[in-house]
Amino acid sequence: MQTLLLWLFYLSSFYAFIPGLITRIFGFRVFRRGTGKQDFALTFDDGPDPVYTPQLLDLLKRYDMKATFFLVGSHAESHPDVVKQIHEEGHLIGIHNYIHKSNWLMRPKTVRMQLKRTDDIIYSVTGERPTFYRPPWGIVNLFDFAKNSGYRIVLWSAMFGDWRSKTGSNKLVKRILRKLKPGEVMLLHDCGTTVGANPDAPMNMLIALEQVLEEAQRRNLKSIRIDTMINSEKKLQKAKLSIMKRMVVSLWLLWEKVFHVLFQLETVTPKDPMLHFRPISYQGKAVTMDDGTRLEKGDQVLELHFDNKKLFHIGSRSRSEMQLAIQMIRAMQKDLPTLANMVLERPEYMDIKGLYGVTMISRGPEQFGFHVQDLPQGLFASSARIYLKILLSIIHPRGQSRLKEGSKKMEPKLLMMPVDVLINRYAEKGSRSYRSPKQDSAEEHELSDLPIGSASQGLSS
């Protein structure tokens, strides 16, 4: 028996108590407060009531305030004319179950049936489906917590005990005025037929609310609908993220300037930079590229770097990933011929065996002649993954959402191009004759009998 009671305790805690505690204390997956400068939200539960709700609507109209009504389905079914008036006067309607019963005491299927029945009643009167839900007493179960209902759950930041007649209007005024601040979501009741409430309690609420609305006008505060408050929150959050993004971009571009100086990067086309590069000694594992060229540790390569400022400007102007890719392709098509001619014309690049780079935007580089492969696992791969994901979240037109589409699609890739491919595909006709490392190796013994100085002069002429 004790074991059974213990299991029942665990089950009830998992199903009801823990989700309720997390939502009420931490606000997880519920909306309960805004951050507006001049707006607060009046919300009313348990209605509609044929006596008190029309009086409330008249009061709100007189002070030009909007509110949100969480309706009990059975009450809405009995008083469709009041539901219609709420809707026509521009207030928001949400669901408060078909009957005022705690979700802790109902199975998930029963809760869904209550929601659907109330939804259908409201839709039949207003022609609109409600999208917001306040469970009775603000109590959620595991399935509400998991957002299986499909509705946005709205709780509150302030409640005042207005369902009890003994509270009185004077005490209510004092309690509400203490919470009359921007961003508050106030819970009041326009019906007193719920178990535990007093039938005449809404009259005290109406008397108190009139004084509160008078004071709200004096303070230049306005009650708005919950959906308006949530949309304002989204815009504000977006603006904050935009400011944060600009700060991050500024710091990133400053770091890029420092990086270019520290590692002596050269720019292919300084007037319109896209590709930067530096000669380095390849330190990775041996790789056989698509044309059979083998890149081994110690070989000389040109390490490529995209211009982050250019990428950011392209990303900010692009409305889709396709537009971003097209702009990058055009920039690459412009820079690769210039880079090929630079390799041909500069004696110091005569030993370069290929191009080398790491990128997160690796769709379609094969069309340029690049060999693409995964980075070998290790510290460099891990750090490159973090760095490039941060960069992509800033420059990509869909930002963070692009990073959630699967880790395999967003893995950094190693790009390599044999120098032969670079020269043959991109160098201008009539450029200086190119001697690849393969040709130099084949003729090495012919030059071995010459003095070092002569060989050097021949290569540098």
Side-chain angles (χ1 to χ4, degrees):
M1 184 65 179
Q2 288 181 337
T3 303
L4 178 61
L5 290 175
L6 188 62
W7 273 107
L8 287 174
F9 172 76
Y10 287 146
L11 182 62
S12 62
S13 296
F14 184 67
Y15 179 71
F17 180 71
I18 293 176
L21 191 67
I22 292 175
T23 54
R24 293 296 289 273
I25 294 178
F26 301 105
F28 186 67
R29 287 190 172 174
V30 299
F31 181 80
R32 58 178 184 173
R33 184 184 178 88
T35 56
K37 294 182 178 180
Q38 299 297 135
D39 303 324
F40 65 101
L42 288 170
T43 67
F44 298 93
D45 287 6
D46 299 359
D49 184 276
V51 175
Y52 296 116
T53 305
Q55 294 181 52
L56 171 60
L57 291 172
D58 290 342
L59 180 61
L60 293 170
K61 183 187 291 185
R62 192 157 70 246
Y63 286 91
D64 191 26
M65 302 287 183
K66 298 301 179 186
T68 302
F69 291 79
F70 291 99
L71 305 184
V72 174
S74 58
H75 296 169
E77 193 173 37
S78 300
H79 309 292
D81 54 329
V82 183
V83 177
K84 185 177 182 181
Q85 184 182 357
I86 294 172
H87 175 69
E88 289 181 345
E89 295 189 6
H91 303 287
L92 180 65
I93 295 176
I95 296 176
H96 201 49
N97 281 359
Y98 181 76
I99 58 173
H100 200 286
K101 185 177 182 180
S102 171
N103 287 7
W104 284 7
L105 304 176
M106 294 187 288
R107 296 176 302 161
K109 183 178 178 181
T110 306
V111 175
R112 287 196 293 270
M113 289 174 62
Q114 293 236 359
L115 287 165
K116 185 179 186 310
R117 188 172 180 182
T118 306
D119 189 307
D120 290 341
I121 291 167
I122 294 170
Y123 178 73
S124 68
V125 176
T126 66
E128 292 184 8
R129 294 283 182 187
T131 56
F132 296 93
Y133 172 51
R134 176 176 284 165
W137 294 289
I139 295 173
V140 299
N141 62 37
L142 178 64
F143 291 87
D144 300 321
F145 181 76
K147 297 177 74 172
N148 282 357
S149 66
Y151 299 92
R152 179 71 185 270
I153 297 177
V154 177
L155 298 184
W156 57 85
S157 61
M159 61 188 299
F160 312 102
D162 65 313
W163 60 87
R164 294 188 296 264
S165 296
K166 66 178 182 180
T167 303
S169 60
N170 292 333
K171 190 177 291 185
L172 271 179
V173 170
K174 293 178 182 178
R175 289 179 179 179
I176 298 174
L177 287 179
R178 281 199 294 268
K179 290 291 186 177
L180 185 59
K181 302 171 186 176
E184 294 287 348
V185 177
M186 298 183 176
L187 168 60
L188 295 165
H189 300 79
D190 58 329
C191 182
T193 61
T194 304
V195 175
N198 301 125
D200 61 343
M203 180 54 68
N204 290 329
M205 182 274 294
L206 290 171
I207 294 170
L209 185 60
E210 184 166 12
Q211 297 179 55
V212 170
L213 294 181
E214 187 74 32
E215 178 63 17
Q217 277 197 341
R218 191 186 70 80
R219 299 186 192 178
N220 199 28
L221 295 173
K222 195 172 187 66
S223 174
I224 59 176
R225 297 166 29 144
I226 282 294
D227 57 346
T228 304
M229 181 174 278
I230 289 175
N231 288 334
S232 297
E233 291 294 300
K234 289 179 179 178
K235 290 179 181 178
L236 182 63
Q237 187 66 25
K238 189 175 181 179
K240 288 180 178 177
L241 287 174
S242 180
I243 293 171
M244 181 70 71
K245 183 173 180 176
R246 286 198 295 269
M247 291 175 60
V248 171
V249 169
S250 297
L251 291 173
W252 207 283
L253 297 181
L254 178 62
W255 159 245
E256 180 166 270
K257 290 181 180 180
V258 174
F259 181 87
H260 283 201
V261 173
L262 288 177
F263 293 95
Q264 298 181 328
L265 264 62
E266 188 171 352
T267 305
V268 176
T269 52
K271 291 184 178 180
D272 187 20
M274 178 60 178
L275 283 179
H276 307 279
F277 66 95
R278 62 170 179 154
I280 64 167
S281 177
Y282 179 69
Q283 296 300 317
K285 294 182 179 179
V287 176
T288 302
M289 290 178 273
D290 294 334
D291 73 333
T293 301
R294 187 170 176 81
L295 189 63
E296 297 182 346
K297 187 175 182 179
D299 286 339
Q300 293 300 299
V301 294
L302 292 183
E303 183 182 73
L304 299 181
H305 296 267
F306 285 122
D307 187 274
N308 288 342
K309 186 175 183 179
K310 183 68 171 285
L311 287 179
F312 175 71
H313 287 318
I314 291 175
S316 62
R317 292 194 304 265
S318 301
R319 288 177 292 179
S320 67
E321 186 174 346
M322 180 61 70
Q323 285 189 351
L324 174 61
I326 290 171
Q327 293 297 318
M328 290 186 65
I329 287 171
R330 288 175 179 171
M332 290 284 287
Q333 287 173 333
K334 176 178 65 67
D335 272 13
L336 284 175
T338 305
L339 180 60
N341 291 328
M342 292 173 75
V343 171
L344 270 177
E345 294 164 3
R346 295 189 181 182
E348 65 267 29
Y349 294 154
M350 198 60 79
D351 292 332
I352 294 298
K353 200 167 183 180
L355 307 181
Y356 162 86
V358 179
T359 181
M360 188 75 76
I361 307 173
S362 56
R363 180 178 295 180
E366 294 91 348
Q367 66 178 299
F368 295 108
F370 283 103
H371 170 84
V372 182
Q373 72 172 47
D374 294 332
L375 278 177
Q377 293 300 316
L379 180 60
F380 176 75
S382 300
S383 59
R385 189 177 296 111
I386 295 171
Y387 174 87
L388 291 170
K389 283 189 175 183
I390 294 172
L391 175 62
L392 189 63
S393 71
I394 295 171
I395 67 166
H396 201 279
R398 283 167 41 218
Q400 286 288 337
S401 64
R402 179 65 180 92
L403 301 180
K404 300 177 182 179
E405 296 181 356
S407 58
K408 289 184 179 179
K409 295 181 180 179
M410 298 306 301
E411 287 296 311
K413 301 290 184 179
L414 191 63
L415 302 183
M416 291 170 287
M417 180 190 293
V419 74
D420 290 5
V421 173
L422 175 69
I423 300 302
N424 293 333
R425 289 186 62 162
Y426 297 105
E428 294 178 0
K429 299 298 183 182
S431 293
R432 139 188 190 146
S433 177
Y434 170 65
R435 297 172 64 85
S436 73
K438 286 182 179 180
Q439 291 172 311
D440 288 341
S441 178
E443 300 175 9
E444 187 177 24
H445 72 281
E446 295 179 16
L447 296 174
S448 61
D449 293 333
L450 296 175
I452 296 297
S454 300
S456 299
Q457 290 171 359
L459 289 172
S460 62
S461 62

